[in-house]
Amino acid sequence: MGDKNRPRSKTGRSPSSNNLKGDRQRSVSKAESVATDSEADPIIPVENTLSWELLNKEQIIELLACSPADILSKLCSTLSILNTHVNLKNSIRADLYLLAVHFAQQHSFSEEAAGGLVTLLHHVISRVLEDKPLSDIVFESSQLLTANKDFKEGQKFNFLSAEEAILISGYLQCTVFQHLSLYKCALLREQEETIISMEKIIYTCPPLGSFDPPPLAELSQTTILKFI
């Protein structure tokens, strides 16, 4: 009896059926509008700036055109690596960056590839300072060089050619990785400092008109005879 008295629309369907159909239509319309908005606003790719993470492009170009002696001084001033003549840790860091830039010069790396090498080396040094095990550092470096892992969100080392990636891998292997224990010992342990001083007294000639006698070496022959 209740079904017979229930009001129906002109199409013969109940109001609940009409409401359900309306909800579905609104859902479809909403989904189509979202799809249209997504098509209208394409995702803009992130610019890859890994080559200029530590040094900018102009600095890399300038370093590639310098001699090894000039590279060292420019690196120390740019990266604020001070007192390399007495600070062992800073001296090691400066040498690592110097050798990396010289390696890029020898193999005629582009400024982008050379910047990538410096960025990756800086990352490896930071892992050494965190006392990470060798296996973890090597595995992460290989993942980064083969572009199987993002260095930063949306940025990989995919700008390196296969030849450049192989050369950089071999360079890291025969430098940092081969002597990792030595680098950890030098960079993680506190450097003992010994201050060596020597007291030296320098006698100078007394000012003119003072009552102090002049040094014997400056006495004239007549003055000596006079005293005699």
Side-chain angles (χ1 to χ4, degrees), residues 41-179:
D41 299 328
I43 300 175
I44 301 176
V46 179
E47 183 183 0
N48 197 329
T49 58
L50 295 185
S51 295
W52 330 122
E53 189 74 16
L54 186 65
L55 300 170
N56 59 44
K57 186 174 182 179
E58 290 73 19
Q59 291 170 336
I60 291 292
I61 294 175
E62 184 179 5
L63 288 172
L64 291 176
C66 291
S67 63
D70 294 333
I71 292 174
L72 183 59
S73 60
K74 290 183 181 297
L75 280 171
C76 291
S77 60
T78 303
L79 301 178
S80 298
I81 305 177
L82 308 176
N83 301 323
T84 55
H85 60 293
V86 293
N87 190 308
L88 178 62
K89 296 179 181 180
N90 286 352
S91 177
I92 292 173
R93 289 175 54 216
D95 285 344
L96 285 172
Y97 291 123
L98 168 63
L99 293 174
V101 175
H102 187 55
F103 178 82
Q105 287 178 328
Q106 288 180 319
H107 293 85
S108 302
F109 276 11
S110 65
E111 58 269 14
E112 190 175 22
L117 170 59
V118 173
T119 298
L120 184 59
L121 176 62
H122 179 70
H123 180 70
V124 170
I125 293 174
S126 67
R127 289 292 186 259
V128 174
L129 294 175
E130 293 172 3
D131 201 14
K132 296 290 185 180
L134 175 61
S135 57
D136 290 355
I137 300 177
V138 172
F139 178 73
E140 184 183 23
S141 301
S142 64
Q143 291 289 99
L144 291 173
L145 279 174
T146 53
N148 290 323
K149 179 182 178 181
D150 287 357
F151 185 82
K152 295 172 63 176
E153 185 177 357
Q155 298 190 38
K156 300 181 179 181
F157 284 92
N158 51 5
F159 54 85
L160 296 173
S161 65
E163 182 182 358
E164 290 169 343
I166 292 173
L167 287 172
I168 293 175
S169 177
Y171 172 77
L172 293 176
Q173 173 62 34
C174 65
T175 54
V176 182
F177 297 158
Q178 186 174 351
H179 306 289

